[in-house]
């Protein structure tokens, strides 16, 4: 179990933030090697169903198995009950699998923590859950997992208000990018962002779109520095 938690701590950082009418998942992407094909490199944010996305921190190979199981369960739920799976049900299912692997003989725990985001069918309330290798799951307004997650969580605690979540999609994305820039040194090319909106709208931002947010944040930082210098004079 300790090794599984250690694997999560070493995994690249992932952040989830609830807005008023959207959920944003962002994560740090490992930089691709010079000769690697970036199109084939798997994304750290996966779509489980039309209305649910999942991001993870930890071992990529373990996450693939969990994601595959979650997708099969989501489809079988649709087939059996003729209804899309609820976010709460899917979280409990994933946490249940993680827990089962902590007590079965001949297997090891999944070295993965997940962030699950989305909207329940016919509902406009954003949902964000976290699961841990031990099988514990919890609901959050904003959360960070993986490497340097403590730094990002402290940033979110200062800048995110539960009472007044980001009012627009742009504000939520900007806060997500800002929080990731606390730990990602290489800027937009190593950041992935996916937005989930009601009625099964899932949008992944391109590097160019993320770059615009990064430039805007950098410009704001420079302005603040300029103001500080003027104040000191």
């Amino acid at each position: 179990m300790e090794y599984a938690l250690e694997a999560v701590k070493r995994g690249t950082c992932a952040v989830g933030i609830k807005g008023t009418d959207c959920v944003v998942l962002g994560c740090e992407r490992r930089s691709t090697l010079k000769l690697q094909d970036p199109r084939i490199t798997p994304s750290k944010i996966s779509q489980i169903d039309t209305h649910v996305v999942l991001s993870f921190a930890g071992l990529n190979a373990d996450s693939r198995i969990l994601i595959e199981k979650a997708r099969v369960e989501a489809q079988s739920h649709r087939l059996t009950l003729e209804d899309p799976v609820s976010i709460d049900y899917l979280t409990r299912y994933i946490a249940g699998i993680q827990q089962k692997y902590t007590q079965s003989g001949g297997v090891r725990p999944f070295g993965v923590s997940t962030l699950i985001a989305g909207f329940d069918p016919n509902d406009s309330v954003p949902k964000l859950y976290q699961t841990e290798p031990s099988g514990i799951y919890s609901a959050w307004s904003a959360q960070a997992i993986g490497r340097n997650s403590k730094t990002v969580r402290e940033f979110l605690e200062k800048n995110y208000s539960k009472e007044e979540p980001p009012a627009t999609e742009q504000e939520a994305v900007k806060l997500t990018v800002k929080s990731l820039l606390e730990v990602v040194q290489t800027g937009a090319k190593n950041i992935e962002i996916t937005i989930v909106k009601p009625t099964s709208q899932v949008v992944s931002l391109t590097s160019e779109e993320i770059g615009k947010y990064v430039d805007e944040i950098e410009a704001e930082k420079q302005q603040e520095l300029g103001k500080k210098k003027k104040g000191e004079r």
Side-chain angles (χ1 to χ4, degrees), residues 136-197:
I136 295 169
Y137 69 94
S138 44
W140 295 81
S141 295
Q143 171 64 326
I145 55 174
R147 192 169 54 216
N148 301 324
S149 57
K150 192 166 180 279
T151 311
V152 180
R153 204 175 299 116
E154 282 167 4
F155 172 85
L156 289 171
E157 281 166 8
K158 281 179 198 157
N159 295 281
Y160 183 94
S161 163
K162 254 177 149 180
E163 288 69 37
E164 288 178 34
T168 64
E169 181 191 309
Q170 286 75 19
E171 279 180 34
V173 173
K174 194 173 171 185
L175 184 59
T176 309
V177 174
K178 216 171 182 179
S179 64
L180 280 169
L181 286 175
E182 293 285 302
V183 294
V184 179
Q185 311 304 311
T186 44
K189 72 175 191 294
N190 278 14
I191 292 177
E192 276 185 73
I193 299 283
T194 297
I195 305 155
V196 192
K197 294 181 269 191

Side-chain angles (χ1 to χ4, degrees), residues 12-27:
T12 49
C13 187
V15 179
I17 288 178
K18 284 203 303 195
T20 310
D21 59 352
C22 68
V23 194
V24 179
L25 282 186
C27 65

Side-chain angles (χ1 to χ4, degrees), residues 7-197:
V8 170
K9 280 181 194 163
R10 290 183 183 190
T12 49
C13 187
V15 179
I17 288 178
K18 284 203 303 195
T20 310
D21 59 352
C22 68
V23 194
V24 179
L25 282 186
C27 65
E28 178 186 352
R29 186 173 28 203
R30 283 235 164 89
S31 42
T32 48
L33 300 170
K34 201 173 182 181
L35 300 175
Q36 198 173 359
D37 186 345
R39 294 166 303 172
I40 309 300
T41 310
S43 165
K44 286 257 306 182
I45 300 172
S46 307
Q47 197 167 343
I48 304 297
D49 203 342
T50 54
H51 60 300
V52 197
V53 291
L54 177 151
S55 186
F56 67 91
L59 303 174
N60 285 39
D62 287 14
S63 75
R64 283 214 319 273
I65 304 296
L66 263 187
I67 288 163
E68 203 51 49
K69 283 178 184 281
R71 282 175 176 162
V72 170
E73 180 61 24
Q75 291 311 307
S76 108
H77 189 282
R78 261 182 199 270
L79 202 63
T80 316
L81 302 174
E82 296 184 2
D83 257 331
V85 69
S86 75
I87 313 300
D88 179 68
Y89 174 87
L90 194 70
T91 304
R92 277 187 286 121
Y93 176 77
I94 290 171
I97 290 173
Q98 286 178 298
Q99 197 282 326
K100 197 163 78 181
Y101 275 70
T102 64
Q103 62 173 54
S104 308
V107 295
R108 63 167 177 77
F110 283 94
V112 172
S113 263
T114 68
L115 287 176
I116 300 157
F119 287 82
D120 285 341
N122 310 317
D123 192 8
S124 58
V125 180
K127 302 268 191 334
L128 176 67
Y129 289 93
Q130 178 196 357
T131 74
E132 294 175 35
S134 59
I136 295 169
Y137 69 94
S138 44
W140 295 81
S141 295
Q143 171 64 326
I145 55 174
R147 192 169 54 216
N148 301 324
S149 57
K150 192 166 180 279
T151 311
V152 180
R153 204 175 299 116
E154 282 167 4
F155 172 85
L156 289 171
E157 281 166 8
K158 281 179 198 157
N159 295 281
Y160 183 94
S161 163
K162 254 177 149 180
E163 288 69 37
E164 288 178 34
T168 64
E169 181 191 309
Q170 286 75 19
E171 279 180 34
V173 173
K174 194 173 171 185
L175 184 59
T176 309
V177 174
K178 216 171 182 179
S179 64
L180 280 169
L181 286 175
E182 293 285 302
V183 294
V184 179
Q185 311 304 311
T186 44
K189 72 175 191 294
N190 278 14
I191 292 177
E192 276 185 73
I193 299 283
T194 297
I195 305 155
V196 192
K197 294 181 269 191

